[in-house]
Amino acid sequence: MSSEQPNNPLHGITLEQVVTRLQEHYGWDGLAQRININCFKSDPSIKSSLKFLRKTQWARDKVEGLYISTFA
């Protein structure tokens, strides 16, 4: 069985890369408008966002979905 995932647009991209690229593209205010989560609204940082998103699957799904719709 092959380890490649041709149907996964996020294959090989880390969560940190996803958050960083979205933040550079939209800014924290733009992210907070698109995804209503406090880690983008209240004292946002890459580190705090990663900590929250790694523990909260529904929020991670929304962030990954925004990444795919924006850059794919």
Side-chain angles (χ1 to χ4, degrees):
M1 190 165 132
S2 175
S3 64
E4 292 184 28
Q5 298 179 14
N7 294 327
N8 183 353
L10 295 174
H11 180 68
I13 301 172
T14 66
L15 182 59
E16 183 173 6
Q17 290 171 319
V18 168
V19 174
T20 300
R21 189 152 180 220
L22 285 171
Q23 191 278 324
E24 290 170 351
H25 186 76
Y26 292 115
W28 292 117
D29 290 336
L31 279 174
Q33 289 174 353
R34 287 164 179 79
I35 303 173
N36 187 18
I37 51 179
N38 284 335
C39 70
F40 294 156
K41 292 182 191 179
S42 175
D43 193 27
S45 72
I46 298 292
K47 185 177 178 181
S48 67
S49 297
L50 290 174
K51 185 175 181 181
F52 175 76
L53 293 170
R54 286 183 178 129
K55 292 191 279 186
T56 314
Q57 188 61 46
W58 65 265
R60 182 177 181 154
D61 292 343
K62 287 186 176 206
V63 169
E64 290 174 345
L66 178 61
Y67 181 88
I68 291 167
S69 67
T70 301
F71 298 112

